[in-house]
Amino acid sequence: MERSQLHKSIPKKLQVNIYEIMHMEKCVAQISSSGRVEIYDKKFLPYDLYLDENDEGDIDVLVNNITNFNHWCASRVLSLDRKYAKEILNSIGVSQAVTDKDRANISLSHHCVSLTDVYWVRKTGETIAFAELNLYDNPLNEAIVELSLKGKQMTVTNHELAPDLSTKGCFPKAWIRGKDGFVLLKDGDKEAVERELLASRICQCFDVPQVLYTEYMYDGEVVTQSDIITSKDFSMVSKMAFDIYACNHDLDTVEVCKRLDPVNYYGMNILDYLTGNTDRHPENWGFLVDNSNNEYVSLYPLMDFNQCFQAYDTVEGAMCQTVLPKRLSQREAAIEAVKCIGLRQVKEVDMSVFGERKEWAEMFWMRLEKLKKYVS
């Protein structure tokens, strides 16, 4: 069916909107406001968007298509538990949206663009192109940093806020464009910043792909900065998003991780145990995707350390979130990891980095010694 025929198959009284789901300049699918779908390139569909074009008049299929599309769009706008989210929404004149449909409308207002991948959405008939609105090539309003990091209200447009509306997490954060690409600034309280910087220094003593966090002074306060890992060549797909793809392709996500990128997967479990990271939820790790063919090629570098040293009162640690549905403590998951890839320590940890945190230094040392026993 030609794209124009999708309009013809819908009675005029129902012709509200038809959206084109774009991957860079390629239209991979269309969906109407009635839930009718046409898929043009299934291989390039978003990993976390399931659409069924074989509705045959089945109302359940149509409703599921609309629900799935709204959820996907909503996932590309900030979550409302993020600090200053309400201030951001107020600044663009949007109500305190709580439903997927409300949040989807916010996302659609800036074409669902994001710095995590190269997908976007336009209405049929719009002539706008990826080259005109993608966030990698087009300028940002630097004033948005004030709003995103500090919650200062101002009047801005949805498109100006797009990079920050599509940044996950609950801590204040903002993207700025540096000379070598985008840099993520992340605030929070003083302790969260200190935790991230300390954990990053420790993790750099191990040969595991990771994002590096360094100090950055913003408005007289120390925040962390890190380089962007996505581009027009590579995108990120969170573990949560990949689970949707895995469910529809009869795959086990954890087994895919172990086979595809054992160093990154097992290394993550080792470092999370050593640093007491309790925040490795399924939106905090995932896959790197080659945009030329939309195939996953590895896990993306380990990131987000500002909740480290939390479960640090016992050697066992918290329950490991990356092995679910299998139930293992962080210690057990780390031991399993060392048996598979070794400890991968490349230099000694300078214990002075712990400063006055003597209890953290002692716990780190105890955990490290535990793991050394399993190095073959």
Side-chain angles (χ1 to χ4, degrees):
M1 183 184 291
E2 298 295 328
R3 290 181 204 171
S4 59
Q5 289 183 286
L6 192 56
H7 285 274
K8 296 177 182 179
S9 66
I10 303 171
K12 286 187 177 180
K13 63 180 181 180
L14 295 179
Q15 286 183 12
V16 179
N17 287 312
I18 297 178
Y19 293 103
E20 296 180 340
I21 301 167
M22 308 291 295
H23 182 275
M24 300 183 79
E25 303 294 1
K26 177 198 292 282
C27 179
V28 299
Q30 284 187 341
I31 181 169
S32 75
S33 55
S34 68
R36 294 283 173 83
V37 165
E38 290 294 330
I39 297 174
Y40 303 109
D41 197 331
K42 192 171 184 178
K43 179 179 174 62
F44 279 86
L45 280 173
Y47 277 70
D48 52 343
L49 177 58
Y50 179 77
L51 298 173
D52 190 345
E53 61 183 337
N54 301 312
D55 61 88
E56 298 180 352
D58 189 328
I59 189 66
D60 289 336
V61 172
L62 298 177
V63 170
N64 283 338
N65 283 338
I66 294 171
T67 300
N68 292 345
F69 179 67
N70 281 338
H71 180 74
W72 178 74
C73 292
S75 72
R76 302 174 72 77
V77 74
L78 83 171
S79 58
L80 291 182
D81 60 350
R82 176 174 152 190
K83 194 172 181 181
Y84 304 135
K86 291 184 178 181
E87 286 84 351
I88 292 175
L89 293 179
N90 285 339
S91 292
I92 61 175
V94 176
S95 64
Q96 306 302 320
V98 292
T99 68
D100 270 358
K101 185 175 181 180
D102 291 337
R103 294 171 64 220
N105 286 334
I106 297 171
S107 187
L108 286 166
S109 72
H110 58 75
H111 295 281
C112 297
V113 292
S114 171
L115 279 172
T116 60
D117 57 41
V118 292
Y119 287 104
W120 59 290
V121 177
R122 69 184 178 193
K123 292 179 183 178
T124 55
E126 284 190 288
T127 57
I128 192 166
F130 182 71
E132 299 173 61
L133 53 73
N134 83 82
L135 302 174
Y136 299 104
D137 295 329
N138 293 285
L140 304 179
N141 184 343
E142 295 299 334
I144 304 308
V145 178
E146 282 286 299
L147 175 61
S148 298
L149 276 181
K150 301 300 179 184
K152 297 179 181 179
Q153 291 200 35
M154 59 190 76
T155 301
V156 293
T157 66
N158 288 12
H159 187 72
E160 288 173 320
L161 272 176
D164 293 300
L165 287 172
S166 59
T167 302
K168 303 291 185 180
C170 61
F171 285 88
K173 57 186 69 173
W175 291 102
I176 62 171
R177 191 189 295 274
K179 62 179 182 179
D180 298 319
F182 277 100
V183 172
L184 179 65
L185 303 184
K186 188 159 53 171
D187 195 4
D189 53 38
K190 180 181 178 182
E191 182 150 313
V193 172
E194 290 177 352
R195 288 173 189 268
E196 188 144 70
L197 293 172
L198 174 57
S200 183
R201 292 187 188 106
I202 293 170
C203 290
Q204 290 174 52
C205 297
F206 295 82
D207 184 18
V208 175
Q210 59 194 270
V211 171
L212 304 183
Y213 291 88
T214 56
E215 287 187 9
Y216 185 93
M217 291 299 298
Y218 180 80
D219 198 23
E221 295 183 18
V222 177
V223 299
T224 65
Q225 70 168 351
S226 57
D227 292 335
I228 193 170
I229 64 172
T230 58
S231 65
K232 288 189 291 184
D233 296 319
F234 292 96
S235 294
M236 294 168 59
V237 175
S238 71
K239 192 265 185 182
M240 179 176 285
F242 191 88
D243 280 340
I244 297 174
Y245 173 85
C247 181
N248 291 305
H249 290 80
D250 196 27
L251 295 172
D252 182 309
T253 302
V254 172
E255 290 305 314
V256 171
C257 293
K258 292 177 179 179
R259 181 183 70 252
L260 178 71
D261 194 351
V263 168
N264 211 328
Y265 174 73
Y266 287 119
M268 172 172 58
N269 292 341
I270 292 170
L271 294 183
D272 280 351
Y273 171 63
L274 288 175
T275 60
N277 186 11
T278 59
D279 197 34
R280 193 61 62 200
H281 56 78
E283 287 194 278
N284 225 355
W285 62 286
F287 294 81
L288 205 60
V289 172
D290 185 339
N291 291 335
S292 69
N293 53 23
N294 205 34
E295 294 182 358
Y296 51 94
V297 294
S298 69
L299 296 185
Y300 54 71
L302 191 61
M303 62 175 64
D304 231 343
F305 302 127
N306 56 12
Q307 293 295 288
C308 287
F309 313 107
Q310 299 280 35
Y312 227 48
D313 51 345
T314 69
V315 176
E316 197 68 19
M319 293 301 298
C320 183
Q321 301 176 65
T322 63
V323 297
L324 295 173
K326 190 175 179 181
R327 293 185 61 82
L328 294 176
S329 69
Q330 287 182 313
R331 183 187 67 84
E332 291 170 324
I335 289 172
E336 178 183 80
V338 170
K339 290 179 179 179
C340 290
I341 65 167
L343 190 57
R344 299 190 69 81
Q345 186 172 5
V346 291
K347 62 180 179 181
E348 292 297 319
V349 177
D350 180 0
M351 301 303 287
S352 68
V353 298
F354 286 95
E356 297 180 359
R357 301 281 194 173
K358 303 300 182 184
E359 71 282 5
W360 288 3
E362 291 175 5
M363 181 55 66
F364 170 79
W365 188 258
M366 288 173 62
R367 292 186 177 193
L368 182 61
E369 290 303 303
K370 290 282 184 184
L371 295 187
K372 284 181 177 180
K373 295 178 182 178
Y374 296 92
V375 177
S376 57

